Structures are given as C-alpha cells and as structure tokens.
Amino acid sequence: MPKGYWVSVYRTVFDPEKLAAYDKLAGPAVAAGGGRVLIRGGRAVEYDAGIAERTILIEFDSFEQAVAARESAAYQEALAVLSDAVERDFRIVEGTD
C-alpha cells in the first residue's frame, strides 16, 4: 500500500509566536495520527525556480491515514491556533509502492 505524505512549505511567517503555539499542538496531533516527521526545516540547496522556504515532510502508512490525521479534531485545534500566522502551501500526496 502506498504511503501518504504531508508536504508543507512556509512561504511567509507573519507571527512566530502563533507558529510556535501551533507546533506544540500539531506535533502530538500528527504523532497520534500515525505521522512521522522526516524533514523539519534544516539545510537546503535550491535549484532552478526553487525558493529557500521552511519545508516540512511527514510520512504516514497510507494516504487515507494522512487525510484522516489532517481532518482529526486534534489537528483542527492546532490549525485554529495557527490561523493567519503563516502563508503556506500544504498538500497531501500519495507515495509510490
């Protein structure tokens, strides 16, 4: 079964304090949903049209599990705290077998 991944790229952080509060709630929500953080910021080299942005990659055992974790009450609470603190590109993608 293909794995599911959350890919989140932070274009702009408007309120670092709200982002920190979100992180405190999102981490446990992701773990409870079966997610494993593979990338959280760190060093990067951008090529072609790449832009230096904070990138997060979280792996789940399946695409369905990734979607369910995003829709969970615990993660929705984290999103409410995050509100307008960032501009980000968030997507859930299915991996290959």
Side-chain angles (χ1 to χ4, degrees):
M1 175 182 300
K3 293 184 179 182
Y5 296 89
W6 286 10
V7 182
S8 186
V9 179
Y10 288 74
R11 294 186 175 136
T12 308
V13 175
F14 302 112
D15 189 333
E17 290 179 9
K18 281 186 180 179
L19 178 58
Y22 159 82
D23 283 342
K24 286 183 180 182
L25 294 173
V30 166
R36 296 170 297 283
V37 177
L38 301 180
I39 298 169
R40 183 182 313 219
R43 296 182 343 156
V45 176
E46 297 75 30
Y47 293 100
D48 302 323
I51 300 170
E53 298 170 316
R54 180 179 189 224
T55 302
I56 312 296
L57 179 64
I58 300 174
E59 179 182 66
F60 293 84
D61 289 336
S62 70
F63 181 80
E64 292 76 17
Q65 186 180 32
V67 171
R70 172 65 168 75
E71 295 174 355
S72 72
Y75 190 71
Q76 293 304 307
E77 180 182 350
L79 283 178
V81 169
L82 184 62
S83 66
D84 60 353
V86 300
E87 177 188 357
R88 70 179 183 163
D89 176 351
F90 180 94
R91 62 192 66 212
I92 299 174
V93 297
E94 185 175 60
T96 59
D97 287 334

